[in-house]
Amino acid sequence: MKTLMPYPTVVGDIDVIIEKVALEGRDLSYSMISRTEHVVALHQVERAEWEEARIEVRVSLPEREIETGPWTDVGCVAVLTEGATNTRLARPLYKKPDGVWVGSVPVSRTLHRARASLMVSVVATVGGVVGRVIGTADTVWTIDLSARVPERKKELNIVEIDFRDGTEEWLVRFKDSPWLVETSGEMPTVYLNTGFEGLAPLLNGAGSEMERGARGLVVSQIADEAWTAMFHAAVSDLEIDGDGTPQIPSGWREAVLRHMLPDVMPGASLADALLEVHERRTDDQGWSELQTYIHQAAAKRARIPKHLRTAIRALDRAEVADR
């Protein structure tokens, strides 16, 4: 798990919009960009041999907070990454007179294979240190090189159900649990217990700043448990070659491993990391020590540090207001 930043960071929303996408200099139809799903579909049959696309990005920052905060030299950076190819490309954005940050991010066909992620960070000089990250957009766009329709691939089911009502008999024994993660099916499922007092209103309501902070903490905790459970499920059911080499699975298990293995085994290739994790689990040599890195990787995906900072600041402001 990452430590809290030892310097001030941005609390307000950072909004990221993809304005348009050009493929080999030709603008794609807006139907290839989904602002609700935050996905861009780049697959075009008539352009199977394309070499480069360009993503036009527009970012809105919490301007008042940016202007009054304890930082200088504020900048905005768009970062395009893909775990499958270990590619990372950063492009600075520039600020327009109206306060909006814009810029262009290239997507090279030779550097990307399947799905790339586009995220935006705000950097500044804080406490005399240049280039500190003071904020990251919650929204991460997916640039899908193989999709014809801009839809986010579903890798997790969310089911809201009262564990006590008996329609799913096996859940009754867990009636005192607020949620449960189940990974034995074709798709992992998070069951949310609507019979747990206060959980449904907290997750579905708007509420005050403190309630939003509490909701963020709960959601990140659920996500943390889900990522951890999915990782363990993925590595416990691997297909093994005749020479003992584990094979990368398909479906959601592949996605989970590609997301988490770089943090569980930093610096190792995907194949080497999978082999090391498999050997540690089956031989029970170093498997216990590896749990720290697994939980850290899950917490990173669940964005626990960000949600914890937000909740702490909401609580601090509420205490000041009550004085």
Side-chain angles (χ1 to χ4, degrees), residues 26-248:
R26 178 176 63 87
D27 290 348
L28 291 183
S29 166
Y30 285 108
S31 64
M32 307 300 287
I33 305 171
S34 173
R35 291 185 176 179
T36 55
E37 296 278 345
H38 302 116
V39 175
V40 175
L42 282 185
H43 182 70
Q44 295 281 286
V45 175
E46 68 273 19
R47 288 280 181 171
E49 302 302 321
W50 63 271
E51 294 182 1
E52 183 180 87
R54 299 199 73 84
I55 312 292
E56 301 295 332
V57 181
R58 175 168 61 87
V59 180
S60 298
L61 306 183
E63 203 59 37
R64 182 177 178 183
E65 184 180 4
I66 292 292
E67 292 176 353
T68 59
W71 37 63
T72 58
D73 307 320
V74 175
C76 202
V77 182
V79 181
L80 187 70
T81 61
E82 185 176 4
T85 57
N86 198 29
T87 299
R88 186 180 188 277
L89 175 70
R91 283 292 182 270
L93 308 180
Y94 68 91
K95 187 177 181 181
K96 296 176 62 178
D98 60 2
V100 174
W101 295 75
V102 298
S104 177
V105 181
V107 181
S108 173
R109 194 67 179 88
T110 59
L111 297 178
H112 297 281
R113 181 186 305 165
R115 290 188 299 276
S117 297
L118 179 67
M119 61 187 67
V120 171
S121 294
V122 183
V123 298
T125 299
V126 186
V129 180
V130 178
R132 279 180 157 171
V133 176
I134 62 171
T136 302
D138 284 333
T139 299
V140 177
W141 281 76
T142 297
I143 314 301
D144 197 323
L145 280 71
S146 60
R148 292 186 174 89
V149 179
E151 295 178 344
R152 190 171 291 274
K153 291 179 170 56
K154 190 175 182 182
E155 295 171 349
L156 185 68
N157 277 327
I158 306 293
V159 176
E160 296 188 16
I161 185 174
D162 189 336
F163 289 9
R164 301 167 300 182
D165 69 5
T167 55
E168 292 280 353
E169 293 183 3
W170 69 278
L171 287 173
V172 175
R173 63 181 297 189
F174 303 104
K175 62 181 183 298
D176 294 325
S177 300
W179 59 79
L180 191 68
V181 181
E182 202 274 328
T183 59
S184 62
E186 287 299 315
M187 186 176 294
T189 300
V190 175
Y191 292 92
L192 301 177
N193 185 2
T194 57
F196 192 91
E197 184 179 0
L199 180 63
L202 176 64
L203 294 179
N204 299 321
S208 64
E209 183 181 9
M210 282 190 63
E211 289 171 330
R212 292 195 298 271
R215 178 167 61 250
L217 277 180
V218 171
V219 169
S220 64
Q221 181 62 42
I222 295 172
D224 179 46
E225 291 186 21
W227 278 103
T228 302
M230 289 189 296
F231 183 86
H232 280 281
V235 299
S236 66
D237 191 27
L238 295 171
E239 292 187 4
I240 310 300
D241 273 354
D243 62 357
T245 302
Q247 297 301 298
I248 297 174

Side-chain angles (χ1 to χ4, degrees), residues 77 265 281:
V77 182
M265 287 287 173
R281 190 186 69 82

Side-chain angles (χ1 to χ4, degrees), residues 13-29:
D13 291 335
I14 300 171
D15 297 321
V16 181
I17 295 294
I18 290 182
E19 294 277 65
K20 68 176 182 177
V21 179
L23 192 66
E24 303 288 37
R26 178 176 63 87
D27 290 348
L28 291 183
S29 166

